[in-house]
């Protein structure tokens, strides 16, 4: 027997839905040779032949073993042992065996009983696909397409056998994954076996009720959807539960305990517990389905390879409101969670970064409703009410989440691990770990002081005074948040003013913060009281439009309700120094933060030396300010901005590289860049997964000679989920690659 895949002879043993669909899918793919079939139910074999699901029927197991090279066991779990026993004397060394049963431990045990071991040419497998229908008549050649199949090879499994089985599954359109036998059985007990058990049980309970006809008559969509799988094959499921006893019993116990808690909550009128379970479940369900579809929290972040083609736009005109401030959105969740009472937030930024913070607090037991069109309701748990999360807190791309949480979590009784995506995993964390250790925190960072951060619980923090070596609002905020849990006073002095949202919002929650020039201090041991927060539009997002309108002739754009906290208005100050026509009006204070409408019109810009004191006040806006600089007469010089090198990307180098690709030369310096007026050509730029780089080059397209291709744009959703649509509304012409 050759065992080659180009013309292998496949024998499918068990011609139900699963085996029949496998045979049909292989025939449909047209990649294999003859397909034989056998089933103890003679009528199923005949039907399979008649329906051309198989090429030829075999009348016994010895018969199929003699004819086929690859034997596929598609029988119920309980039948595997007798089938193997009968096949054993007829197997050659060159045969390859595989199976499709839902419980792998039981199949491995059956093989050991028959052969004394799991033979090296036996590849255990399980397709995660099915239907409540059964029988070969229901066979569907597309059943496995885009579904997962789990193979559970061991170190002893023959490579050739594994390769052949992988190739067969790929031919059906399935995606092949590998895991160990025990892991497979635990995962399936939770994700497949338990739901089937609950569906069978629920239908049986209702069917047994006296008024069952009434119940079924009125049971609408929810009941039908939920119990669809109770129509599955009883014999198969009987086998599965008895074969995977230990793993199934474990999840039944966990589920029963949680169901008991819900019962108690309903009995006692405990709405808080119900809301907690329901909001967490809703978020988890949405999160999981997005993850399964390859999407992250935000539905726009669905492809890491998202490429946009920025065609030339026209004058930028309109009256718009950009999404909520990222920094304030993070802080609203953090302080709202630690407060006593219910905090209501409006204008919350539903971007990836702020959602990562929101998810982290849900993972620590906080009940958070929403977000629903910017509205979030946080049921605060008080300063000591957070619970240990079940696993590491995943913070995506968000440096703010990781650094601020590091401070806040240093004072908790439980340990946590903070992790993030590829970009966040490269960012420096010692800048917060070091001063936190001085306060008594026990923190480990990864290689070269980068994430993951492991924060040990139970440390008593003590207040310290810290002179910050860098102007960073994240470091300042981290220490103030740790200071809430420290004995005595924690004070920080910053070398230059940085955003003060933490100080302002703490005051809004009734916590005393002493601010005196560059010094901010808190005393530990106080409490936060719930409040209402109205998050204004993010000036960092507005910045793209301020530059867009400033550089595009004929532009006249109004941006509404923008946060104009003086620690954030560097972009307005710098653009005005360059000659921009920006009018700030309707100024008012909302919840302790200054807010205004901004009107910006086209004006010829001139190059400047950017004042050093403006650098921390415009730290996030430099990518787009570089585009303004390239459009300004003469030369623009930025220095004292080395921090830009450790943002979501090295923003000095990445911008210089992108500009170069568009024919614009620059002079890169360790702490800044020199840019001269030049025309922007067409080309392809990499944004390195950095949202602000992608959006900056989109702005460049307004004045470029021809199209700019912007690669790796998915992370725009971290701070500005609807950027592309909003930009197109006011004069941009941005299209995802592939769309005309
Ligand atoms: C932020 C502070 C800034 C900024 C970041 C948000 C904050 O970082 O770049 O986007 O919310 O505190 P640094 O404090 O590290 O400069």
């Amino acid at each position: 027997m050759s065992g080659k895949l180009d013309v292998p002879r496949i024998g499918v043993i068990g011609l139900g839905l699963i085996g029949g669909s496998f045979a049909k899918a292989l025939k449909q793919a047209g990649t294999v040779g003859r397909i034989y079939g056998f089933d103890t139910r003679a009528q199923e074999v005949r039907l399979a032949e008649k329906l051309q699901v198989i090429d030829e029927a075999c009348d016994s197991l010895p018969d199929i073993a003699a004819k086929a090279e690859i034997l596929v066991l598609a029988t119920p779990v309980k039948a595997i042992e007798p089938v193997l026993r009968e096949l054993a004397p007829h197997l050659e060394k060159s045969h390859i065996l595989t199976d499709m049963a839902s419980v792998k431990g039981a199949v491995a045990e059956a093989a050991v009983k028959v052969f004394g071991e799991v033979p090296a040419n036996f590849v255990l497998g399980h397709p995660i696909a099915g239907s409540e229908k059964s029988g070969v008549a229901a066979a569907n050649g597309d059943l496995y397409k885009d579904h997962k199949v789990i193979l559970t090879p061991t170190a002893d499994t023959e490579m050739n056998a594994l390769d052949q089985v992988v190739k067969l599954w790929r031919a059906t359109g399935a995606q092949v994954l590998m895991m160990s036998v025990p892991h497979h059985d635990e995962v399936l007990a939770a994700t497949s076996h338990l739901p089937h058990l609950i569906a069978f049980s629920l239908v049986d309970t209702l069917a047994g009720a006296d008024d069952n006809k009434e119940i079924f008559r009125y049971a609408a969509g929810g009941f039908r959807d939920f119990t669809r799988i109770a129509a599955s094959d009883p014999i198969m499921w009987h086998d599965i539960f008895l074969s995977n006893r230990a793993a199934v019993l474990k999840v039944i116990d966990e589920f029963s305990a949680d169901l008991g808690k819900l019962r108690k909550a309903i009995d006692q009128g405990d709405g808080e517990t119900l809301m907690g379970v329901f909001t967490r479940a809703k978020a988890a369900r949405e999160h999981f389905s997005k993850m399964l579809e390859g999407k992250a929290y935000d539905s726009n972040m669905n492809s890491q390879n998202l490429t946009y083609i920025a065609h030339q736009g026209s004058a930028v005109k309109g009256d718009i409101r950009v999404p909520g401030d990222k920094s304030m959105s993070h802080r609203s969740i953090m302080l709202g969670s630690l407060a006593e009472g219910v905090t209501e937030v409006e204008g919350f930024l539903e971007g990836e970064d702020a959602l990562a913070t929101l998810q982290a607090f849900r993972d620590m037991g906080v009940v958070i409703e929403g977000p629903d069109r910017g509205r979030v309701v946080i049921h605060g748990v008080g300063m000591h009410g957070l619970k240990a999360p079940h696993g590491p807190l995943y913070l995506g791309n968000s440096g703010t989440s990781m650094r601020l949480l590091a401070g806040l979590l240093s004072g908790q009784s439980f340990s946590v691990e903070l992790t993030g995506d590829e970009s966040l995993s490269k960012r420096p964390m010692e800048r917060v770990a070091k001063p936190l250790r001085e306060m008594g925190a026990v923190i480990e960072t990864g290689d070269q002081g980068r994430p993951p951060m492991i924060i040990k619980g139970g440390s008593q923090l003590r207040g310290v005074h810290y002179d910050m070596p860098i102007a960073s609002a994240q470091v300042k905020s981290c220490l103030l948040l740790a200071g809430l849990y420290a004995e005595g006073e924690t004070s920080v002095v910053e070398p230059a003013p940085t955003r003060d949202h933490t100080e302002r919002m703490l005051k809004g929650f009734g916590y005393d913060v002493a601010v005196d020039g560059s010094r901010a201090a808190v005393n530990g041991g106080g409490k936060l009281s719930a409040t209402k927060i109205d998050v204004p539009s993010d000036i960092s997002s507005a910045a793209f439009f301020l530059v867009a309108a400033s550089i595009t002739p004929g532009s006249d754009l109004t941006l509404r309700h923008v946060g104009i906290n003086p620690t954030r208005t560097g972009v307005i100050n710098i653009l005005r120094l360059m000659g921009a026509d920006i009018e700030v009006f309707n100024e008012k204070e909302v919840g302790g933060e200054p807010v205004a409408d901004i009107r910006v019109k086209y004006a010829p810009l001139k190059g400047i030396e950017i004042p050093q004191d403006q650098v921390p006040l415009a730290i996030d806006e430099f990518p787009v300010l570089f585009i303004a600089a390239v459009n300004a007469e003469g030369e623009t010089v930025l220095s004292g901005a080395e921090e830009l090198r450790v943002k979501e990307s090295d923003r000095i180098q990445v911008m210089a590289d992108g500009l170069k690709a568009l024919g614009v030369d620059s002079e890169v310096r360790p702490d800044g860049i020199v840019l001269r007026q030049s025309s922007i050509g067409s080309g392809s730029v990499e944004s390195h997964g950095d949202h602000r780089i992608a959006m900056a080059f989109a702005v460049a397209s307004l004045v470029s000679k021809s199209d700019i291709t912007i690669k790796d744009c998915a992370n725009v959703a971290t701070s500005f989920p609807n950027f592309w649509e909003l930009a197109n509304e006011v004069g941009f012409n941005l299209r995802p690659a592939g769309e005309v």
Side-chain angles (χ1 to χ4, degrees), residues 33-48:
R34 217 164 160 72
I35 299 186
Y36 298 87
F38 172 72
D39 197 296
T40 47
R41 299 160 300 178
Q43 79 282 7
E44 289 294 294
V45 191
R46 275 197 303 278
L47 187 59

Side-chain angles (χ1 to χ4, degrees), residues 146-438:
D146 301 325
H147 279 74
K148 296 191 173 49
V149 55
I150 301 173
L151 301 181
T152 59
T154 65
D156 297 328
T157 307
E158 250 174 38
M159 274 319 282
N160 174 49
L162 181 59
D163 283 352
Q164 304 273 32
V165 173
V166 168
K167 276 187 208 158
L168 284 184
W169 275 117
R170 294 214 171 117
T172 69
Q175 187 198 348
V176 180
L177 305 175
M178 313 269 178
M179 59 172 75
S180 72
V181 167
H183 188 209
H184 168 276
D185 287 358
E186 272 168 31
V187 169
L188 268 291
T191 56
S192 167
H193 305 173
L194 180 66
H196 277 84
L197 191 83
I198 296 169
F200 283 128
S201 170
L202 178 63
V203 176
D204 188 49
T205 303
L206 297 196
D210 293 343
D211 51 356
N212 65 33
K213 274 220 188 75
E214 278 295 283
I215 290 175
F216 285 112
R217 182 171 304 142
Y218 299 115
F223 177 80
R224 202 178 308 121
D225 291 350
F226 183 80
T227 57
R228 177 181 60 80
I229 50 180
S232 304
D233 182 359
I235 299 177
M236 183 176 114
W237 283 98
H238 155 274
D239 281 11
I240 289 173
F241 287 111
L242 296 183
S243 310
N244 198 19
R245 270 181 70 207
V248 168
L249 289 178
K250 190 164 163 265
V251 284
I252 292 179
D253 290 346
E254 284 165 10
F255 177 70
S256 307
D258 285 350
L259 193 63
K261 284 186 201 150
L262 283 176
R263 188 193 182 286
K264 191 168 153 209
I266 295 168
D267 185 31
Q268 298 179 346
D270 170 6
E272 192 88 332
T273 297
L274 295 181
M275 279 306 286
V277 174
F278 299 166
T279 50
R280 277 198 304 278
K282 178 172 163 31
R285 183 67 178 79
E286 283 165 2
H287 183 43
F288 291 150
S289 33
K290 280 175 185 162
M291 276 177 34
L292 289 177
E293 290 163 33
K295 297 179 184 177
Y297 299 104
D298 184 274
S299 54
N300 286 339
M301 245 184 105
N302 55 5
S303 157
Q304 289 311 311
N305 301 320
L306 190 60
T307 294
Y308 263 84
I309 313 291
H311 307 282
Q312 270 176 299
S314 52
V316 179
K317 287 187 168 164
D319 192 324
I320 56 171
R321 181 167 172 159
V322 300
D325 187 274
K326 182 155 77 73
S327 295
M328 289 184 225
S329 296
H330 283 298
R331 287 157 172 85
S332 68
I333 298 290
M334 294 180 189
L335 301 188
S337 295
L338 296 179
E340 284 168 24
V342 177
T343 291
E344 288 171 30
V345 185
E346 298 285 348
F348 179 81
L349 167 66
E350 296 183 38
E352 283 289 305
D353 279 13
L355 290 174
T357 293
L358 189 150
Q359 186 62 35
F361 280 89
R362 274 198 178 127
D363 290 346
M364 292 188 285
V366 182
V367 176
I368 304 175
E369 295 173 56
D372 179 13
R373 282 158 293 164
R375 184 178 152 79
V376 177
V377 178
I378 309 159
H379 298 252
V381 294
M383 294 300 290
H384 299 282
L386 295 179
K387 298 200 184 96
H390 291 301
L393 295 176
Y394 177 71
L395 303 170
N397 192 253
S398 177
T400 309
S401 309
M402 188 168 288
R403 296 196 179 121
L404 270 57
L405 275 175
L408 194 155
L409 295 175
S410 289
Q412 305 297 328
S413 57
F414 52 85
S415 301
V416 271
E417 179 175 349
L418 306 180
T419 64
D421 72 1
E422 203 188 323
S423 149
L424 182 54
S425 301
K426 289 187 196 140
R427 298 182 66 188
M429 292 299 149
E430 277 299 313
R431 56 178 59 199
V432 290
K434 188 175 155 288
L436 286 172
R437 288 188 197 112
E438 281 175 29

